[in-house]
Amino acid sequence: MSAQRWDEFLPGAWCVEGLLTRDECDALIEQARGAGVESMKFSGDIRHRQRVTVRLDVSELTRVLWERIRERIPQEIIIDETTENSRFLSVQECMGRWVPSGLHTGKSVVFFHGMMHDGEPLAEGSRAKWIFRTMVYYKRDQDTAPRLSPEEAKARRLLKDAEAAEESGRINEAISLYKQAYRLDPSLES
């Protein structure tokens, strides 16, 4: 395997050369083809991002990739009141010290999820561009997790129940549960 080269092109984003071998890339492409990727319909309009996902079982390769990158990625992420909002959870929900715990199941680009990103159109006659995605998971050091009051903990349970009720079509029950959760902890509403 060739040596990896990590180039940080933006704060928190790296281009990694040599993360996968040519054989590993070819095997991934063949597995994707076997899953029928090439027969899927695309709009052909480069102004729109295609959202076609095929999950591949590459658990052995995932283990190998984890060993290759685990020492190069940030070994801790601290989230506190100065951290920008993550779009998905409130900063309060995420506060603490987070450490890498593994990967979710060629050239790689490694960056924090909230960073805006896009690609360039392919030139006429160029080879197809294949994008294989995995995610590095981080787990919170429980000693650094915020302590919830009994009301905040109950509000989160109610919120989870409300989401389940909404998902299963029990709308009136969901509305009632949402109201209870937001009354107990108004920060959940933002």
Side-chain angles (χ1 to χ4, degrees):
M1 156 137 215
S2 62
Q4 295 175 29
R5 193 178 94 223
W6 288 62
D7 295 320
E8 187 170 20
F9 58 90
L10 289 172
W14 303 266
C15 181
V16 185
E17 297 277 353
L19 183 60
L20 295 173
T21 66
R22 169 53 50 200
D23 288 344
E24 289 166 339
C25 287
D26 290 345
L28 281 172
I29 290 169
E30 284 309 308
Q31 193 171 354
R33 285 182 171 141
V37 168
E38 292 178 316
S39 64
M40 294 178 181
K41 301 291 182 216
F42 299 98
S43 69
D45 186 340
I46 64 170
R47 295 172 299 169
H48 301 286
R49 182 179 187 184
Q50 302 294 264
R51 290 203 161 97
V52 176
T53 301
V54 174
R55 294 187 185 271
L56 303 176
D57 179 13
V58 291
S59 49
E60 178 56 23
L61 181 57
T62 300
R63 186 192 62 72
V64 169
L65 289 176
W66 176 240
E67 292 304 316
R68 290 177 190 165
I69 71 166
R70 72 184 309 161
E71 299 302 320
R72 301 297 303 262
I73 60 174
Q75 295 302 299
E76 74 173 14
I77 296 173
I78 304 294
I79 299 178
D80 60 21
E81 53 281 336
T82 65
T83 305
E84 288 186 36
N85 198 341
S86 69
R87 293 186 341 184
F88 299 110
L89 296 170
S90 72
V91 170
Q92 251 72 17
E93 297 280 336
C94 298
M95 280 191 185
R97 176 181 174 265
W98 295 75
V99 295
S101 62
L103 285 180
H104 188 298
T105 308
K107 178 183 277 188
S108 302
V109 179
V110 180
F111 58 91
F112 293 116
H113 181 74
M115 184 179 292
M116 291 294 293
H117 56 284
D118 65 0
E120 296 296 323
L122 294 175
E124 188 70 34
S126 63
R127 293 178 34 204
K129 181 186 338 182
W130 291 83
I131 299 173
F132 293 95
R133 173 183 169 178
T134 190
M135 295 180 279
V136 175
Y137 282 110
Y138 281 75
K139 64 181 177 185
R140 180 170 34 210
D141 175 345
Q142 289 304 307
D143 293 337
T144 67
R147 303 289 180 234
L148 298 177
S149 70
E151 292 80 16
E152 290 169 325
K154 183 176 181 182
R156 278 150 186 77
R157 286 193 302 276
L158 288 167
L159 186 62
K160 191 174 185 179
D161 292 346
E163 291 166 349
E166 182 180 9
E167 191 70 28
S168 66
R170 301 184 327 266
I171 303 304
N172 289 335
E173 180 184 350
I175 290 170
S176 174
L177 290 166
Y178 279 125
K179 285 180 179 178
Q180 291 175 59
Y182 296 151
R183 212 173 294 123
L184 284 170
D185 186 354
S187 73
L188 292 177
E189 209 167 357
S190 58

